[in-house]
Structure formats: structure tokens, C-alpha cells
């Protein structure tokens, strides 16, 4: 009898407890995608809307610059304290040589007429007919003409090395293809830098499982996922890029996205030693730096003459994260895109000397023809 009463009492109590709970307490646990807690941490905060010093964004894309309202663009730049924007998409997306030249000329004419001091434009390669006898000579001649027209450098898109660019026989064009060697050599002769984006985040090649840090990004952007050999392993693709750095010591290369080693600064340090002609820019990788502020600060102090500011996508509101990571010593603040970084950021607190080099001095030194009067000495 006692056992029966005890069992009945337990059953009634359990039912009462379940009914007394809020509905949210008895539903299934939140999934990773939904979970986004508000931090209860109370620490000093120093959110920034503009940079401490005027800066040069060496990695930006403006695809309609030939017809763009540059006065409106510069107004947005002023709000960030951006001194000069480098538009890397000078020849646009067309692979027709004449179309690309017209796009570049239109952009340079618009800049010269409206904002000659505030915007610089890089040219691009056009791969139509790659592999034909005269392609290399034609590309070199076009590069020379583009620089005479006003282009300040050459931007190489990540499509080089991927299967999107093929030669006249339908084969993938490696980054280290010998038919491109005259182009790299000519850039050195002309004294212009090559800003090159090769490969993608290494995690895109890894299995899409619970161990992959980029799982949410791959789920929301499935086109970014790559198989182990799509088109070749990450290490092989990056090795092609490193080959051209070593083969062209007189050419300055700006490795986009810190060469995809911002999460492995020890490895990047070794590459900086091997390739003294390689600079790096921080576009789209500030989240990696913000989770290792002490290690990152040591790297920036050591290579303060070879790191440049870049952002990549033109979303003015997102620059605030960059300024806060670089300039403050704030703790545990969010990144602006959860699918890029579900972790929190910490400020590096770079010195004024390092900030000035990162923001403008290094770019002024390696990109020809920029107006130095816009920046402090």
C-alpha cells in the first residue's frame, strides 16, 4: 500500500511540475542555428564607427564605377575616415577584351573627372583565348596599356586555379601556369603590385560534419563546399600560388585574405620569411584575428611593414568590427556575421605606429601614384 501511494504521489508531482513549466522549457533544445544568446558580461566597451587615422582600403569592389555617383561613394568613405578606396574590379566581369577595356576606361575617366585623389583602380586579366599562341603577348601589351591609362595594379580573382578558367584545350589553368610568367614579370618591370586571391577557406575542403568550424556557412552557402579534389586539394592549389612568389622575387604580391592562413599565424610567419616580396591584407579574415588578439598583435608588430588594410565586400556598417579589433582592447564582442564566426572578438589594441602603417603607409609605399597629402606623416 505504501509503495502504491508513493508511486501515485510521484506521478502527480511529476505531472504538476511539467504543467508548471513555461512552454519554452519543455520544447526540444534550440538548434545551433537558432541559439544566439545575449551576453551578460559587463566590461568596458568602445565601439567605433570610424578609423582613428585615414586609411586605404586596398581590397574593394565597385562593379559599376564607370557610371557610378562617386560623390555619394566618397561621402560614405568620409563617414568611415577612408582616405582612398582601391577598386580591384577595373575591367569588370566580361571576358571580352574590348568590353573590359571599355569598362576600365569608363571607370578611370569617371574617377579622373570627379574623385581623382580618393579612388584608385586596378586592372584584371581576361582569359578568353588562353593557350593560343599570342595570348601571353596580348595580355602583357594590354597590361602596359592599362597602366598607361591609369591603372595602379593588377588584381587576380580566385577563379584562376579553379576549374572556372580553362585553356583552349579545356584544361584547368594552374596559378603557376608558365604561360602567365610574362605577366608576373611585366608587373615587376612596371612597378605595380599584384593583389592575388587564390583558393578559399581550407575548411571548405573538409568534411561537412560536426567538427567543421564552417558548417553553418557551408549550410547557408552550399556552393562554397568543395570536395577533397575540387578541383585539386587546398594545399596543392596554394602551392601553385607560392611557386609564382618564389619565381618572381622582383614583383610585389599582396596575398588576399592573409593567404588563408590567418588562423595559423605560425605558418604565415614562415611564408613571410620565405617570400620577402609577399605582403598580406586582412580582408574578410578579421574574425580569425579577433579570437587570438595576443598572437595576432605579435604578428602585426613583427610584420608591421608588410600588412595592409582590406575589407573586400562594400558594406560600410561592417567596418566597425575591423576598427574595434584593430584599435581597442575590448573583450568578448560579436562579429557581424554568425555564419562566418560564431565565436566572440577581442581587440588587439595596436599601437599608433603600427596602425598608421597598416592603414596607409604600407599601401602608399607599394601602390604607385596615390596622393600622400591625404594622410598624416
Amino acid at each position: 500500500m505504501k509503495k502504491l501511494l508513493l508511486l501515485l504521489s510521484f506521478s502527480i508531482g511529476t505531472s504538476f511540475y511539467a504543467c508548471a513549466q513555461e512552454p519554452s522549457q519543455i520544447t526540444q533544445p534550440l538548434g545551433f542555428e537558432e541559439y544566439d544568446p545575449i551576453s551578460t558580461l559587463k566590461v568596458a566597451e568602445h565601439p567605433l564607427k570610424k578609423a582613428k587615422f585615414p586609411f586605404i582600403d586596398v581590397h574593394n569592389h565597385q562593379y559599376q564605377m564607370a557610371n557610378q555617383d562617386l560623390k555619394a561613394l566618397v561621402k560614405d568613405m568620409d563617414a568611415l575616415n577612408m582616405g582612398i578606396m582601391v577598386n580591384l574590379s577595373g575591367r569588370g566581369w566580361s571576358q571580352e577584351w574590348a568590353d573590359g577595356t571599355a569598362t576600365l576606361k569608363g571607370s578611370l575617366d569617371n574617377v579622373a573627372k570627379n574623385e581623382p585623389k580618393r579612388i584608385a583602380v586596378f586592372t584584371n586579366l581576361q582569359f578568353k583565348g588562353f593557350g593560343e599562341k599570342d595570348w601571353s603577348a596580348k595580355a602583357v601589351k594590354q597590361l602596359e596599356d592599362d597602366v598607361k591609362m591609369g591603372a595602379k595594379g593588377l588584381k587576380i580573382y580566385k577563379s584562376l586555379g579553379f576549374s572556372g578558367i580553362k585553356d583552349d584545350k579545356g584544361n584547368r589553368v594552374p596559378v603557376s601556369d608558365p604561360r602567365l610568367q610574362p605577366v608576373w614579370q611585366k608587373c615587376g618591370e612596371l612597378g605595380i603590385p599584384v593583389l592575388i586571391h587564390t583558393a578559399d577557406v581550407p575548411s571548405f575542403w573538409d568534411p561537412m560534419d560536426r567538427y567543421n568550424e564552417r558548417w553553418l556557412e557551408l549550410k547557408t552557402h552550399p556552393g562554397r563546399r568543395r570536395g577533397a579534389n575540387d578541383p585539386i586539394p587546398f594545399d596543392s592549389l596554394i602551392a601553385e600560388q607560392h611557386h609564382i612568389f618564389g619565381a618572381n622575387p622582383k614583383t610585389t604580391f599582396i596575398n588576399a585574405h592573409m593567404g588563408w592562413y590567418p588562423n595559423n599565424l605560425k605558418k604565415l610567419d614562415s611564408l613571410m620569411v620565405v617570400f620577402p616580396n609577399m605582403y598580406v591584407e586582412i580582408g574578410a579574415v578579421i574574425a580569425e584575428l579577433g579570437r587570438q588578439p595576443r598572437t595576432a598583435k605579435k604578428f602585426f608588430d613583427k610584420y608591421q611593414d608588410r600588412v595592409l588594410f582590406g575589407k573586400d565586400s562594400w558594406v560600410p556598417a561592417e567596418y566597425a568590427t575591423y576598427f574595434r579589433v584593430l584599435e581597442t582592447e575590448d573583450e568578448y564582442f560579436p562579429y557581424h556575421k554568425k555564419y562566418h564566426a560564431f565565436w566572440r572578438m577581442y581587440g588587439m589594441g595596436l599601437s599608433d605606429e603600427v596602425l598608421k602603417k597598416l592603414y596607409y603607409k604600407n599601401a602608399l609605399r607599394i601602390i604607385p601614384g596615390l596622393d600622400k597629402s591625404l594622410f598624416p606623416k
Side-chain angles (χ1 to χ4, degrees):
M1 185 67 175
K2 288 183 179 180
K3 289 183 178 180
L4 179 61
L5 289 173
L6 183 62
L7 179 62
L8 181 62
S9 175
F10 176 78
S11 177
I12 293 172
T14 303
S15 299
F16 175 80
Y17 176 73
C19 293
Q21 293 183 86
E22 295 293 328
S24 61
Q25 292 178 293
I26 58 176
T27 56
Q28 293 296 318
L30 286 174
F32 174 72
E33 297 161 82
E34 294 82 21
Y35 186 62
D36 192 16
I38 298 174
S39 174
T40 60
L41 182 67
K42 302 300 180 184
V43 291
E45 297 184 2
H46 306 89
L48 301 173
K49 292 186 178 180
K50 62 191 304 182
K52 185 175 185 179
F53 302 108
F55 67 98
I56 299 171
D57 184 348
V58 303
H59 191 151
N60 207 286
H61 295 284
Q62 301 290 324
Y63 299 105
Q64 305 298 325
M65 186 159 277
N67 304 303
Q68 193 170 354
D69 181 354
L70 298 184
K71 298 296 182 184
L73 178 61
V74 167
K75 184 177 180 180
D76 289 338
M77 291 165 54
D78 287 340
L80 301 170
N81 202 15
M82 184 189 299
I84 296 176
M85 172 187 286
V86 178
N87 177 19
L88 299 177
S89 307
R91 296 183 70 85
W93 287 110
S94 174
Q95 287 305 305
E96 297 293 334
W97 292 78
D99 289 348
T101 300
T103 299
L104 179 63
K105 185 178 186 307
S107 297
L108 291 170
D109 287 348
N110 193 11
V111 170
K113 180 180 179 181
N114 293 291
E115 293 293 346
K117 293 185 177 183
R118 302 296 300 277
I119 298 170
V121 181
F122 276 29
T123 188
N124 314 107
L125 290 182
Q126 296 188 255
F127 287 91
K128 183 176 182 179
F130 188 88
E132 295 176 359
K133 279 186 177 182
D134 64 342
W135 187 93
S136 297
K138 186 176 181 180
V140 168
K141 177 63 167 58
Q142 187 66 67
L143 180 64
E144 290 179 312
D145 291 344
D146 290 354
V147 171
K148 288 178 182 178
M149 198 188 305
K152 308 297 186 186
L154 174 65
K155 162 65 160 82
I156 301 297
Y157 293 112
K158 72 175 183 180
S159 50
L160 177 62
F162 284 136
S163 51
I165 291 183
K166 298 181 179 180
D167 64 14
D168 57 337
K169 294 181 175 59
N171 298 316
R172 179 187 76 92
V173 178
V175 181
S176 55
D177 194 299
R179 292 167 288 189
L180 288 166
Q181 178 59 22
V183 173
W184 315 134
Q185 185 175 346
K186 179 55 66 174
C187 288
E189 294 172 3
L190 293 172
I192 60 169
V194 179
L195 195 151
I196 182 168
H197 175 173
T198 302
D200 267 325
V201 181
S203 296
F204 291 176
W205 275 262
D206 294 336
M208 188 180 167
D209 56 23
R210 60 179 176 158
Y211 303 109
N212 193 321
E213 275 190 325
R214 297 282 182 151
W215 177 88
L216 183 56
E217 181 173 1
L218 293 173
K219 181 176 181 181
T220 56
H221 299 76
R224 298 180 182 181
R225 187 182 178 191
R226 300 197 172 275
N229 296 297
D230 179 17
I232 60 174
F234 170 83
D235 289 342
S236 300
L237 190 51
I238 287 295
E240 293 178 357
Q241 182 200 65
H242 295 169
H243 176 82
I244 68 168
F245 294 166
N248 297 277
K250 295 183 179 180
T251 301
T252 297
F253 292 92
I254 304 171
N255 204 342
H257 314 298
M258 298 188 83
W260 295 124
Y261 286 112
N263 62 331
N264 188 351
L265 293 179
K266 184 177 181 180
K267 171 68 174 180
L268 185 55
D269 185 302
S270 69
L271 296 173
M272 299 291 275
V273 173
V274 173
F275 306 118
N277 57 327
M278 183 186 80
Y279 289 67
V280 295
E281 59 87 19
I282 63 174
V285 296
I286 197 69
E288 298 291 355
L289 303 174
R291 64 171 169 170
Q292 50 171 337
R294 291 186 292 273
T295 299
K297 183 175 182 178
K298 290 178 182 177
F299 181 90
F300 276 61
D301 286 343
K302 182 175 181 180
Y303 292 107
Q304 58 187 267
D305 296 317
R306 292 167 61 191
V307 183
L308 298 92
F309 184 94
K311 167 67 173 63
D312 199 353
S313 61
W314 175 235
V315 184
E318 294 178 354
Y319 283 78
T321 306
Y322 285 72
F323 303 151
R324 196 172 182 185
V325 170
L326 297 170
E327 297 183 24
T328 79
E329 293 184 346
D330 282 4
E331 299 178 291
Y332 202 77
F333 54 91
Y335 185 63
H336 49 260
K337 289 180 181 177
K338 183 184 176 183
Y339 71 79
H340 269 176
F342 55 85
W343 54 83
R344 293 297 191 258
M345 307 287 101
Y346 297 82
M348 296 161 56
L350 297 176
S351 69
D352 286 356
E353 181 182 5
V354 173
L355 277 173
K356 288 178 181 178
K357 291 180 178 181
L358 169 70
Y359 276 158
Y360 62 90
K361 286 187 175 182
N362 293 339
L364 290 176
R365 191 174 68 253
I366 67 172
I367 301 176
L370 301 185
D371 190 338
K372 297 181 180 180
S373 68
L374 300 171
F375 306 93
K377 292 185 178 179

